[in-house]
Amino acid sequence: MKFADVPGLAPIKAKLIANVQNERLAHAQLFLGPEGSGKLHLALALTQYLYCTSRSNTDSCGECSSCRKVRTLTHPDIHFTYPTVVKTSGKEPISTDYVQEWRKELLASPFMNTSDWIGKIADSENKSPNITRRETREIVTKLGMKPYEGEAKTLIIWMPEYLAEQSNALLKVIEEPTQKTYFILVAENSDRLLATITSRTQLVKIPKYTETEAQLFLQEKYNLDSKKAEQLAYLSEGNLRKAIDLVESVEDNYSEIFRDWMLACYSNNLKKVMEITEELHKLGRVQLQLFLTNGLAIMRESLLYKTITGYVIKAETDQQDFIKKFSSTLNAAYIETSYEQINEVIYHIQRNANAKVALFNLSLNLRYNFIRK
Ligand SMILES: [Zn+2]
């Protein structure tokens, strides 16, 4: 991974690059950042930069043999340690037991969290992740061997929170590696790190993404329009794992439910309104906000269609028909009122209002807007 492939975080990238160029890179670093931040991406980009044979002042080349090996996670001098679970055979597992799965999952979803990862490798749900003592002994052996290609070895420890209490062998090797070695620990929760580890590493804090960074990421990766990306970025709260989850789980039928809901309000079918409210409530807070935000987009398009002659509706074909009909049933002022009311409910749901009550009241208000048309 090149630095350019890591979303956002320009100041930290610049600092890491400068440290490499000035030969002032700490040999043991702790990349600490919340879930869905770019900490693991940065560890990979930094490693690629360190090993690249024709790096520039701003990035690795991405083309040389080293870059290719780092990118496919197959460089012989770069080792990964990560939490594992005991297989049915019962022997203490080590990271390399799961190396195929690790490469596959890390390449597919670098924003994964521990549960995502354990979900991929555990055969039952209630196995707890662990970095075993056998793994730490294994690390010491591996790092004791001469590098195959370059002059240095690298160990990336993902989620050192799961290191076994007695990791003395590891402490010693971090303190006095027998070869030139870079250690990059990639962690989420500083409270769960062993103090003996943190005291031996230089802390690099990786902040959560800003809304703008998250929005850009969504626009580029999923080709979303800027409005949609902005809404999802807002809901993801700077957590790109959550942002990806939102994009991938947005229900295609939200527009359809919205249509049924509006129709139920319009025809004063309270039983149907109740049913739909019940269904929506089950989606959970985040999806509910997403549903309503989608509804806002429909309202906005209706208003524009109503007020601007020749306006081309930005929506899929079947939705366009609905928007046209919808805008013909209401006057502009009431579309605007409905828009504001939906917006307000989103605001209250974010602040933990009772979603069911809020939705039902909203339905009545929308109904009232229809009557007043
Ligand atoms: Zn290169």
Side-chain angles (χ1 to χ4, degrees), residues 281-364:
H281 180 246
K282 282 184 200 150
L283 295 172
R285 262 167 213 287
V286 170
Q287 289 297 328
L288 194 51
Q289 288 172 58
L290 217 54
F291 167 78
L292 291 172
T293 325
N294 189 48
L296 282 183
I298 294 177
M299 290 282 178
R300 195 179 52 239
E301 288 302 303
S302 305
L303 189 61
L304 291 171
Y305 180 72
K306 197 169 180 75
T307 49
I308 302 171
T309 322
Y311 179 76
V312 181
I313 298 170
K314 289 192 205 71
E316 294 181 6
T317 325
D318 58 332
Q319 208 170 307
Q320 286 183 9
D321 295 338
F322 170 68
I323 291 172
K324 284 177 191 167
K325 278 185 208 141
F326 189 64
S327 61
S328 68
T329 58
L330 282 173
N331 72 33
Y334 291 129
I335 300 180
E336 224 172 321
T337 310
S338 305
Y339 186 93
E340 278 158 23
Q341 286 165 345
I342 296 177
N343 220 354
E344 197 166 315
V345 169
I346 296 176
Y347 175 89
H348 288 305
I349 289 174
Q350 275 160 11
R351 281 153 192 80
N352 288 331
N354 183 320
K356 218 192 278 187
V357 174
L359 272 175
F360 193 70
N361 285 340
L362 175 61
S363 306
L364 296 180

Coordinates of all heavy atoms in Angstrom, one line a residue, residues 281-364:
H281 N -38.8 1.0 13.2 CA -38.2 1.0 14.5 C -37.2 -0.1 14.6 O -36.2 0.0 15.3 CB -39.3 1.0 15.5 CG -38.8 1.0 16.9 ND1 -38.9 -0.1 17.8 CD2 -38.1 1.9 17.6 CE1 -38.4 0.2 18.9 NE2 -37.9 1.4 18.9
K282 N -37.6 -1.3 14.0 CA -36.7 -2.5 14.1 C -35.4 -2.3 13.4 O -34.4 -3.0 13.7 CB -37.4 -3.7 13.5 CG -38.5 -4.3 14.5 CD -39.1 -5.5 13.8 CE -40.4 -5.9 14.4 NZ -41.3 -6.5 13.5
L283 N -35.3 -1.3 12.5 CA -34.0 -1.1 11.8 C -32.9 -0.7 12.7 O -31.7 -0.8 12.3 CB -34.2 -0.1 10.7 CG -35.2 -0.4 9.5 CD1 -35.4 0.8 8.7 CD2 -34.7 -1.6 8.7
G284 N -33.2 -0.1 13.8 CA -32.2 0.5 14.7 C -31.9 1.9 14.3 O -32.2 2.4 13.2
R285 N -31.3 2.6 15.2 CA -31.1 4.0 15.1 C -30.4 4.5 13.9 O -30.8 5.4 13.2 CB -30.4 4.6 16.3 CG -31.3 5.1 17.4 CD -30.6 5.4 18.7 NE -31.6 5.2 19.7 CZ -32.6 6.0 20.0 NH1 -32.7 7.1 19.3 NH2 -33.4 5.7 20.9
V286 N -29.3 3.9 13.6 CA -28.4 4.3 12.5 C -29.2 4.1 11.1 O -29.2 5.1 10.3 CB -27.1 3.6 12.5 CG1 -26.3 4.0 11.2 CG2 -26.3 4.1 13.7
Q287 N -29.7 3.0 11.0 CA -30.4 2.7 9.7 C -31.7 3.6 9.6 O -32.0 4.0 8.5 CB -30.9 1.2 9.6 CG -29.7 0.3 9.4 CD -29.0 0.5 8.1 OE1 -29.6 0.9 7.1 NE2 -27.7 0.3 8.1
L288 N -32.3 3.9 10.7 CA -33.5 4.7 10.7 C -33.1 6.1 10.2 O -33.8 6.7 9.4 CB -34.0 4.8 12.1 CG -35.4 5.4 12.3 CD1 -36.4 4.7 11.4 CD2 -35.9 5.1 13.8
Q289 N -32.0 6.6 10.7 CA -31.5 7.9 10.2 C -31.2 7.9 8.7 O -31.5 8.9 8.0 CB -30.2 8.3 11.0 CG -30.4 8.7 12.4 CD -29.1 8.9 13.2 OE1 -28.3 9.7 12.8 NE2 -28.9 8.1 14.2
L290 N -30.7 6.8 8.3 CA -30.4 6.6 6.9 C -31.7 6.6 6.1 O -31.8 7.3 5.0 CB -29.6 5.3 6.7 CG -28.5 5.3 5.7 CD1 -27.5 6.4 6.0 CD2 -27.8 3.9 5.8
F291 N -32.7 5.9 6.6 CA -34.0 5.9 5.9 C -34.6 7.3 5.8 O -35.0 7.7 4.7 CB -34.9 4.9 6.7 CG -36.3 5.1 6.3 CD1 -36.8 4.4 5.1 CD2 -37.2 5.8 7.0 CE1 -38.1 4.6 4.7 CE2 -38.6 6.0 6.6 CZ -39.0 5.3 5.5
L292 N -34.5 8.0 6.9 CA -35.1 9.3 6.9 C -34.3 10.3 6.0 O -34.9 11.1 5.3 CB -35.2 9.9 8.3 CG -36.3 9.2 9.2 CD1 -36.1 9.6 10.6 CD2 -37.7 9.4 8.7
T293 N -33.0 10.1 6.0 CA -32.2 11.0 5.2 C -32.5 10.7 3.7 O -32.5 11.6 2.9 CB -30.7 10.7 5.4 OG1 -30.5 10.4 6.7 CG2 -29.8 11.9 5.0
N294 N -32.7 9.5 3.4 CA -33.1 9.1 2.0 C -34.5 9.8 1.7 O -34.7 10.3 0.6 CB -33.2 7.6 2.0 CG -33.4 7.1 0.6 OD1 -32.7 7.5 -0.3 ND2 -34.4 6.2 0.4
G295 N -35.4 9.8 2.7 CA -36.7 10.5 2.5 C -36.5 12.0 2.3 O -37.2 12.6 1.5
L296 N -35.5 12.6 3.0 CA -35.2 14.0 2.8 C -34.8 14.3 1.3 O -35.3 15.2 0.7 CB -34.1 14.4 3.7 CG -34.3 14.7 5.1 CD1 -33.1 15.2 5.8 CD2 -35.5 15.7 5.3
A297 N -34.0 13.3 0.8 CA -33.6 13.5 -0.6 C -34.8 13.5 -1.6 O -34.9 14.3 -2.5 CB -32.6 12.4 -1.0
I298 N -35.8 12.6 -1.3 CA -37.0 12.6 -2.1 C -37.8 13.9 -2.0 O -38.2 14.4 -3.0 CB -37.9 11.4 -1.7 CG1 -37.1 10.1 -2.0 CG2 -39.2 11.4 -2.3 CD1 -37.8 8.8 -1.5
M299 N -37.9 14.4 -0.7 CA -38.6 15.7 -0.5 C -37.9 16.8 -1.3 O -38.6 17.6 -1.9 CB -38.5 16.0 1.0 CG -39.3 15.1 1.9 SD -41.1 15.6 1.7 CE -41.8 14.5 2.8
R300 N -36.6 16.8 -1.2 CA -35.8 17.9 -1.8 C -36.0 17.9 -3.3 O -36.3 18.9 -4.0 CB -34.3 17.7 -1.5 CG -33.5 19.0 -1.8 CD -32.1 18.8 -1.5 NE -31.5 17.6 -2.1 CZ -31.0 16.6 -1.4 NH1 -30.9 16.7 -0.1 NH2 -30.5 15.5 -2.0
E301 N -36.0 16.6 -3.9 CA -36.2 16.5 -5.3 C -37.6 17.0 -5.7 O -37.8 17.6 -6.7 CB -35.9 15.1 -5.8 CG -34.5 14.7 -5.8 CD -33.6 15.5 -6.6 OE1 -33.9 15.6 -7.8 OE2 -32.6 16.1 -6.1
S302 N -38.6 16.6 -4.9 CA -40.0 17.0 -5.1 C -40.1 18.5 -5.2 O -40.8 19.1 -6.0 CB -40.9 16.4 -4.1 OG -40.8 15.1 -3.9
L303 N -39.5 19.1 -4.2 CA -39.6 20.6 -4.1 C -38.9 21.3 -5.3 O -39.5 22.2 -5.9 CB -38.9 21.0 -2.8 CG -39.1 22.5 -2.5 CD1 -40.5 22.8 -2.2 CD2 -38.3 22.8 -1.2
L304 N -37.8 20.7 -5.7 CA -37.1 21.3 -6.9 C -37.9 21.1 -8.1 O -38.0 22.0 -9.0 CB -35.7 20.7 -7.0 CG -34.7 21.1 -5.9 CD1 -33.4 20.2 -6.0 CD2 -34.3 22.5 -6.0
Y305 N -38.5 19.9 -8.2 CA -39.3 19.6 -9.4 C -40.5 20.5 -9.5 O -40.9 21.0 -10.6 CB -39.7 18.2 -9.4 CG -40.6 17.7 -10.6 CD1 -40.0 17.6 -11.8 CD2 -42.0 17.5 -10.4 CE1 -40.8 17.2 -12.9 CE2 -42.7 17.2 -11.5 CZ -42.1 17.0 -12.8 OH -42.9 16.7 -13.9
K306 N -41.0 20.8 -8.3 CA -42.2 21.7 -8.3 C -41.9 23.1 -8.6 O -42.7 23.8 -9.2 CB -42.9 21.5 -6.9 CG -44.3 22.0 -6.9 CD -45.0 21.6 -5.6 CE -46.4 22.1 -5.6 NZ -47.3 21.3 -6.4
T307 N -40.8 23.6 -8.1 CA -40.5 25.0 -8.2 C -39.6 25.4 -9.4 O -39.7 26.6 -9.8 CB -39.8 25.5 -6.9 OG1 -38.7 24.6 -6.7 CG2 -40.8 25.5 -5.8
I308 N -38.9 24.5 -10.0 CA -38.1 24.9 -11.2 C -38.6 24.2 -12.4 O -38.7 23.0 -12.5 CB -36.6 24.4 -10.9 CG1 -36.0 25.1 -9.6 CG2 -35.7 24.8 -12.1 CD1 -34.7 24.5 -9.2
T309 N -39.0 25.0 -13.4 CA -39.5 24.5 -14.6 C -38.4 23.7 -15.4 O -37.3 24.2 -15.5 CB -40.0 25.7 -15.5 OG1 -40.6 26.6 -14.7 CG2 -41.0 25.2 -16.5
G310 N -38.8 22.6 -15.8 CA -37.8 21.8 -16.6 C -36.8 21.1 -15.7 O -35.8 20.6 -16.2
Y311 N -37.0 21.1 -14.4 CA -36.0 20.4 -13.5 C -35.9 18.9 -13.8 O -36.9 18.2 -13.9 CB -36.3 20.7 -12.0 CG -35.3 20.0 -11.1 CD1 -34.1 20.6 -10.9 CD2 -35.7 18.8 -10.4 CE1 -33.2 20.0 -10.0 CE2 -34.8 18.2 -9.6 CZ -33.5 18.8 -9.4 OH -32.6 18.2 -8.6
V312 N -34.6 18.4 -13.9 CA -34.5 17.0 -14.1 C -34.2 16.3 -12.8 O -33.3 16.6 -12.1 CB -33.3 16.7 -15.1 CG1 -33.1 15.2 -15.3 CG2 -33.5 17.4 -16.4
I313 N -35.1 15.4 -12.4 CA -35.0 14.8 -11.1 C -33.8 13.8 -11.0 O -33.6 13.0 -11.9 CB -36.3 14.0 -10.8 CG1 -37.5 15.0 -10.8 CG2 -36.3 13.2 -9.5 CD1 -38.9 14.3 -10.8
K314 N -33.1 14.0 -9.9 CA -31.9 13.0 -9.7 C -32.4 11.8 -8.9 O -32.4 11.9 -7.7 CB -30.8 13.8 -9.0 CG -30.1 14.8 -9.8 CD -28.8 15.3 -9.2 CE -28.4 16.6 -9.6 NZ -29.3 17.7 -9.1
A315 N -32.9 10.8 -9.6 CA -33.3 9.6 -8.9 C -33.5 8.5 -9.9 O -33.6 8.8 -11.1 CB -34.6 9.9 -8.1
E316 N -33.7 7.3 -9.5 CA -33.9 6.2 -10.4 C -35.3 6.3 -11.0 O -36.2 6.9 -10.4 CB -33.7 4.9 -9.7 CG -32.3 4.7 -9.3 CD -32.0 3.4 -8.6 OE1 -32.8 2.5 -8.5 OE2 -30.8 3.3 -8.2
T317 N -35.5 5.7 -12.2 CA -36.7 5.9 -13.0 C -38.0 5.7 -12.2 O -38.9 6.6 -12.2 CB -36.7 5.0 -14.2 OG1 -35.4 4.9 -14.6 CG2 -37.6 5.5 -15.3
D318 N -38.1 4.6 -11.5 CA -39.4 4.3 -10.8 C -39.6 5.3 -9.7 O -40.8 5.7 -9.4 CB -39.5 2.9 -10.3 CG -38.3 2.6 -9.3 OD1 -37.3 3.2 -9.4 OD2 -38.5 1.7 -8.4
Q319 N -38.5 5.8 -9.1 CA -38.7 6.8 -8.1 C -39.1 8.2 -8.6 O -39.8 8.9 -8.0 CB -37.3 6.9 -7.3 CG -37.5 7.3 -5.9 CD -36.1 7.2 -5.2 OE1 -35.5 6.1 -5.2 NE2 -35.7 8.3 -4.6
Q320 N -38.6 8.4 -9.9 CA -39.0 9.7 -10.5 C -40.5 9.9 -10.6 O -41.0 10.9 -10.4 CB -38.3 9.8 -11.9 CG -36.8 10.0 -11.9 CD -36.2 10.1 -13.2 OE1 -37.0 10.2 -14.2 NE2 -34.9 10.1 -13.3
D321 N -41.2 8.8 -11.0 CA -42.6 8.8 -11.1 C -43.3 9.2 -9.8 O -44.2 10.0 -9.7 CB -43.2 7.5 -11.6 CG -42.7 7.1 -13.0 OD1 -42.3 8.1 -13.7 OD2 -42.7 5.9 -13.3
F322 N -42.8 8.6 -8.8 CA -43.3 8.8 -7.4 C -43.1 10.3 -7.1 O -44.0 11.0 -6.6 CB -42.7 7.9 -6.4 CG -43.0 8.3 -5.0 CD1 -44.3 8.2 -4.5 CD2 -42.0 8.9 -4.1 CE1 -44.6 8.6 -3.2 CE2 -42.3 9.2 -2.8 CZ -43.6 9.1 -2.4
I323 N -41.9 10.8 -7.3 CA -41.5 12.2 -7.0 C -42.4 13.2 -7.7 O -42.9 14.1 -7.2 CB -40.0 12.5 -7.2 CG1 -39.2 11.7 -6.2 CG2 -39.7 14.0 -7.2 CD1 -37.7 11.7 -6.5
K324 N -42.7 12.8 -9.0 CA -43.6 13.7 -9.8 C -45.0 13.7 -9.2 O -45.6 14.8 -9.0 CB -43.7 13.2 -11.2 CG -42.4 13.6 -12.0 CD -42.5 13.0 -13.4 CE -41.1 13.2 -14.1 NZ -41.0 12.4 -15.3
K325 N -45.5 12.6 -8.9 CA -46.9 12.5 -8.3 C -46.9 13.2 -6.9 O -47.8 13.9 -6.6 CB -47.3 11.0 -8.1 CG -47.8 10.4 -9.4 CD -48.4 9.0 -9.1 CE -48.3 8.2 -10.4 NZ -47.9 6.8 -10.2
F326 N -45.9 12.9 -6.2 CA -45.8 13.4 -4.8 C -45.8 14.9 -4.8 O -46.5 15.6 -4.1 CB -44.5 12.9 -4.2 CG -44.4 13.2 -2.7 CD1 -45.3 12.6 -1.8 CD2 -43.4 14.0 -2.2 CE1 -45.2 12.9 -0.4 CE2 -43.3 14.2 -0.9 CZ -44.2 13.7 0.0
S327 N -45.0 15.5 -5.7 CA -44.9 17.0 -5.8 C -46.2 17.6 -6.3 O -46.5 18.7 -5.9 CB -43.7 17.4 -6.7 OG -43.9 17.0 -8.0
S328 N -47.0 16.8 -7.0 CA -48.3 17.4 -7.5 C -49.4 17.4 -6.4 O -50.3 18.1 -6.5 CB -48.8 16.6 -8.7 OG -49.2 15.3 -8.3
T329 N -49.2 16.5 -5.4 CA -50.2 16.5 -4.3 C -50.0 17.6 -3.2 O -50.8 17.8 -2.4 CB -50.2 15.1 -3.6 OG1 -48.9 14.9 -3.0 CG2 -50.5 14.0 -4.5
L330 N -48.8 18.2 -3.2 CA -48.5 19.1 -2.1 C -48.1 20.5 -2.7 O -47.5 20.5 -3.8 CB -47.4 18.6 -1.3 CG -47.6 17.5 -0.3 CD1 -46.3 17.0 0.3 CD2 -48.5 18.0 0.8
N331 N -48.3 21.5 -2.0 CA -47.7 22.8 -2.4 C -46.3 22.9 -1.8 O -46.0 22.2 -0.8 CB -48.7 24.0 -2.1 CG -48.7 24.3 -0.7 OD1 -47.7 24.2 0.1 ND2 -49.9 24.8 -0.2
A332 N -45.6 23.8 -2.4 CA -44.2 23.9 -2.0 C -44.0 24.2 -0.5 O -43.1 23.6 0.1 CB -43.5 25.0 -2.8
A333 N -44.8 25.0 0.0 CA -44.6 25.4 1.5 C -44.8 24.1 2.3 O -44.0 24.0 3.3 CB -45.7 26.4 1.9
Y334 N -45.7 23.2 2.0 CA -45.9 22.1 2.8 C -44.8 21.0 2.6 O -44.5 20.2 3.5 CB -47.3 21.5 2.7 CG -48.3 22.5 3.3 CD1 -49.4 22.9 2.6 CD2 -48.1 23.0 4.6 CE1 -50.3 23.8 3.1 CE2 -48.9 23.9 5.1 CZ -50.0 24.3 4.4 OH -50.9 25.2 5.0
I335 N -44.2 21.0 1.4 CA -43.1 20.1 1.2 C -41.9 20.6 2.1 O -41.3 19.8 2.8 CB -42.6 20.0 -0.3 CG1 -43.7 19.5 -1.2 CG2 -41.4 19.1 -0.4 CD1 -43.4 19.4 -2.6
E336 N -41.8 21.9 2.1 CA -40.7 22.4 2.9 C -41.0 22.2 4.4 O -40.0 21.8 5.1 CB -40.7 24.0 2.7 CG -39.3 24.5 2.5 CD -39.3 25.9 2.1 OE1 -40.1 26.3 1.3 OE2 -38.4 26.7 2.6
T337 N -42.2 22.3 4.9 CA -42.5 22.0 6.3 C -42.2 20.6 6.6 O -41.6 20.2 7.6 CB -44.0 22.3 6.5 OG1 -44.3 23.6 6.0 CG2 -44.4 22.2 8.0
S338 N -42.6 19.7 5.7 CA -42.4 18.2 5.9 C -40.9 17.9 6.0 O -40.4 17.2 6.8 CB -43.0 17.4 4.8 OG -44.3 17.7 4.6
Y339 N -40.1 18.6 5.1 CA -38.7 18.5 5.1 C -38.1 18.8 6.4 O -37.3 18.1 7.0 CB -38.1 19.4 4.0 CG -36.6 19.2 3.8 CD1 -36.1 18.3 2.8 CD2 -35.7 19.9 4.5 CE1 -34.8 18.2 2.6 CE2 -34.3 19.8 4.3 CZ -33.9 18.9 3.3 OH -32.6 18.7 3.1
E340 N -38.5 20.0 7.0 CA -38.0 20.4 8.3 C -38.4 19.5 9.4 O -37.6 19.2 10.3 CB -38.5 21.8 8.6 CG -37.7 22.9 7.9 CD -38.5 24.2 7.7 OE1 -39.5 24.4 8.5 OE2 -38.1 25.0 6.8
Q341 N -39.6 19.0 9.3 CA -40.1 18.0 10.4 C -39.3 16.7 10.3 O -38.9 16.2 11.4 CB -41.6 17.8 10.2 CG -42.4 19.0 10.6 CD -43.9 18.9 10.1 OE1 -44.2 18.0 9.3 NE2 -44.7 19.7 10.7
I342 N -39.0 16.2 9.2 CA -38.2 15.0 9.1 C -36.8 15.3 9.6 O -36.2 14.5 10.4 CB -38.1 14.5 7.6 CG1 -39.5 14.1 7.2 CG2 -37.2 13.3 7.5 CD1 -39.6 13.6 5.7
N343 N -36.3 16.4 9.2 CA -34.9 16.8 9.6 C -34.8 16.8 11.2 O -33.9 16.4 11.8 CB -34.6 18.1 9.0 CG -33.1 18.2 8.6 OD1 -32.4 17.2 8.8 ND2 -32.8 19.3 7.9
E344 N -35.9 17.4 11.8 CA -35.9 17.5 13.2 C -35.9 16.1 13.9 O -35.3 15.9 14.9 CB -37.1 18.3 13.6 CG -37.0 18.9 15.0 CD -38.1 20.0 15.2 OE1 -38.2 20.8 14.3 OE2 -38.7 19.9 16.2
V345 N -36.7 15.2 13.3 CA -36.8 13.9 13.9 C -35.4 13.2 13.8 O -35.0 12.5 14.7 CB -37.9 13.1 13.2 CG1 -37.8 11.6 13.6 CG2 -39.3 13.6 13.6
I346 N -34.7 13.4 12.7 CA -33.4 12.8 12.6 C -32.5 13.3 13.7 O -31.8 12.6 14.4 CB -32.7 13.2 11.2 CG1 -33.5 12.6 10.1 CG2 -31.3 12.7 11.2 CD1 -33.0 12.9 8.7
Y347 N -32.6 14.6 14.0 CA -31.8 15.3 15.0 C -32.2 14.6 16.4 O -31.3 14.3 17.2 CB -32.2 16.8 15.0 CG -31.6 17.6 16.1 CD1 -30.3 18.1 16.0 CD2 -32.3 17.8 17.3 CE1 -29.7 18.9 17.0 CE2 -31.7 18.5 18.4 CZ -30.4 19.1 18.2 OH -29.9 19.8 19.2
H348 N -33.5 14.4 16.6 CA -33.9 13.8 17.9 C -33.5 12.4 18.1 O -33.1 11.9 19.2 CB -35.4 14.0 18.1 CG -35.8 15.4 18.4 ND1 -35.2 16.2 19.4 CD2 -36.6 16.3 17.8 CE1 -35.7 17.4 19.4 NE2 -36.5 17.5 18.4
I349 N -33.5 11.6 17.0 CA -33.2 10.2 17.0 C -31.7 10.1 17.3 O -31.2 9.2 18.1 CB -33.6 9.5 15.7 CG1 -35.1 9.3 15.7 CG2 -32.9 8.1 15.7 CD1 -35.6 8.8 14.4
Q350 N -30.9 11.0 16.7 CA -29.4 11.0 17.1 C -29.2 11.2 18.5 O -28.3 10.8 19.1 CB -28.8 12.2 16.3 CG -28.3 11.8 14.9 CD -28.1 13.1 14.1 OE1 -28.1 14.2 14.6 NE2 -28.0 12.9 12.8
R351 N -30.1 12.0 19.2 CA -30.0 12.3 20.6 C -30.8 11.4 21.5 O -31.3 11.8 22.5 CB -30.3 13.8 20.8 CG -29.1 14.6 20.5 CD -29.4 16.0 20.1 NE -28.3 16.7 19.4 CZ -27.9 16.5 18.2 NH1 -28.6 15.7 17.4 NH2 -26.9 17.1 17.7
N352 N -31.0 10.2 20.9 CA -31.7 9.1 21.7 C -33.1 9.4 22.1 O -33.6 8.8 23.1 CB -30.9 8.9 23.0 CG -29.6 8.1 22.7 OD1 -29.6 7.4 21.7 ND2 -28.6 8.3 23.5
A353 N -33.9 10.1 21.3 CA -35.3 10.3 21.6 C -35.9 8.9 21.3 O -35.3 8.0 20.6 CB -35.9 11.3 20.6
N354 N -37.1 8.7 21.9 CA -37.8 7.4 21.6 C -38.2 7.4 20.2 O -39.1 8.2 19.7 CB -39.1 7.3 22.5 CG -39.8 6.0 22.3 OD1 -40.0 5.5 21.2 ND2 -40.3 5.5 23.4
A355 N -37.6 6.5 19.4 CA -37.7 6.5 17.9 C -39.1 6.2 17.5 O -39.7 6.8 16.6 CB -36.8 5.5 17.3
K356 N -39.8 5.3 18.2 CA -41.1 4.9 17.8 C -42.1 6.1 18.0 O -42.9 6.4 17.1 CB -41.6 3.7 18.6 CG -42.4 2.7 17.8 CD -43.1 1.7 18.6 CE -42.2 0.5 19.0 NZ -42.9 -0.6 19.7
V357 N -42.0 6.7 19.1 CA -42.9 7.9 19.4 C -42.6 9.0 18.4 O -43.5 9.6 17.8 CB -42.7 8.4 20.8 CG1 -43.5 9.7 21.0 CG2 -43.1 7.3 21.8
A358 N -41.3 9.2 18.2 CA -40.9 10.3 17.2 C -41.5 10.0 15.8 O -42.0 11.0 15.2 CB -39.4 10.5 17.2
L359 N -41.4 8.8 15.4 CA -41.8 8.4 14.1 C -43.4 8.6 13.9 O -43.9 9.0 12.9 CB -41.5 7.0 13.7 CG -40.1 6.8 13.1 CD1 -39.8 5.3 13.0 CD2 -40.0 7.4 11.8
F360 N -44.0 8.1 15.0 CA -45.5 8.2 14.9 C -46.0 9.7 14.9 O -46.8 10.0 14.1 CB -46.1 7.4 16.1 CG -47.6 7.2 15.9 CD1 -48.1 6.3 14.9 CD2 -48.5 7.9 16.7 CE1 -49.4 6.1 14.7 CE2 -49.9 7.7 16.5 CZ -50.3 6.8 15.5
N361 N -45.4 10.5 15.8 CA -45.7 11.9 15.7 C -45.4 12.5 14.4 O -46.2 13.3 13.9 CB -45.0 12.7 16.8 CG -45.5 12.4 18.2 OD1 -46.7 11.9 18.3 ND2 -44.7 12.6 19.2
L362 N -44.3 12.1 13.8 CA -43.9 12.7 12.5 C -45.0 12.3 11.5 O -45.4 13.1 10.7 CB -42.6 12.1 12.1 CG -42.1 12.5 10.7 CD1 -41.9 14.0 10.6 CD2 -40.7 11.8 10.4
S363 N -45.5 11.0 11.6 CA -46.5 10.6 10.6 C -47.7 11.4 10.7 O -48.3 11.8 9.7 CB -46.9 9.1 10.9 OG -45.8 8.3 10.9
L364 N -48.1 11.8 12.0 CA -49.3 12.6 12.1 C -49.1 14.0 11.6 O -50.0 14.6 10.9 CB -49.7 12.7 13.6 CG -50.1 11.4 14.3 CD1 -50.4 11.6 15.8 CD2 -51.3 10.7 13.6

